[in-house]
Amino acid sequence: MPLHGCELWHCWDLHLIFMHGKECLLAVHCASRYTFVVFDMAYHDWKDLNNTFLVGLCRSLEGAGFAKDFVQHCILSPVVPAFTKTHGRREVAFLNRAWVDVMALDYLIIKDQQFQPLLNNAVNQIPCRCGASSGLQTAMERLKLMKNEE
């Protein structure tokens, strides 16, 4: 049975992609399609993936202008981190769309830093349809709406 609504609030799909010949983490929020990239991941970053993800999430949300209390709410979850398969077709579609969008905007990569505020903000401002939502919305708009609904 697929997960929906608040059950997906704490779910992220993490994927290894290559950009400019470097291993990168592509993270896509399963409920809103909010996306961020951590560029040029080293062995120790992959080995400590949970922490790398959380730092990337904090930096991305703060760089997008979310308040610190919201960022803390996102990362201080009572949910114990678990690595599982992607939930379903909708989430795979989110991941594929995010990957396409990120690759189309790869010229925004700042090659000497891991955290990519220009790329992350640009990819999250692209309007698209998202699951059951009506009309076009950006991932930023969906995440803000979800924040207000909690």
Side-chain angles (χ1 to χ4, degrees), residues 55-134:
V55 170
L57 176 59
C58 286
R59 298 279 302 264
S60 176
L61 292 172
E62 288 172 356
F66 285 97
K68 288 198 182 281
D69 63 329
F70 177 70
V71 174
Q72 290 301 310
H73 172 72
C74 288
I75 66 167
L76 296 177
S77 161
V79 178
V80 176
F83 293 96
T84 64
K85 291 182 177 182
T86 301
H87 293 300
R89 291 177 19 197
R90 175 180 176 256
E91 290 75 21
V92 170
F94 284 4
L95 183 61
N96 289 339
R97 172 66 190 262
W99 191 346
V100 167
D101 291 346
V102 162
M103 296 309 283
L105 295 167
D106 77 334
Y107 60 89
L108 295 173
I109 287 286
I110 302 166
K111 293 182 182 179
D112 62 349
Q113 66 184 49
Q114 266 195 315
F115 304 102
Q116 300 293 322
L118 293 175
L119 174 64
N120 295 340
N121 287 331
V123 77
N124 288 306
Q125 295 297 331
I126 298 171
C128 68
R129 297 194 194 299
C130 178
S133 67
S134 59

Side-chain angles (χ1 to χ4, degrees), residues 19-70:
M19 297 182 76
H20 299 274
K22 305 289 185 181
E23 287 187 359
C24 305
L25 172 66
L26 174 66
V28 182
H29 188 231
C30 293
S32 68
R33 206 184 73 84
Y34 183 86
T35 301
F36 69 90
V37 170
V38 180
F39 183 72
D40 196 11
M41 298 268 292
Y43 173 79
H44 65 275
D45 297 321
W46 291 112
K47 189 168 177 165
D48 191 15
L49 185 57
N50 189 52
N51 186 58
T52 300
F53 164 75
L54 290 174
V55 170
L57 176 59
C58 286
R59 298 279 302 264
S60 176
L61 292 172
E62 288 172 356
F66 285 97
K68 288 198 182 281
D69 63 329
F70 177 70

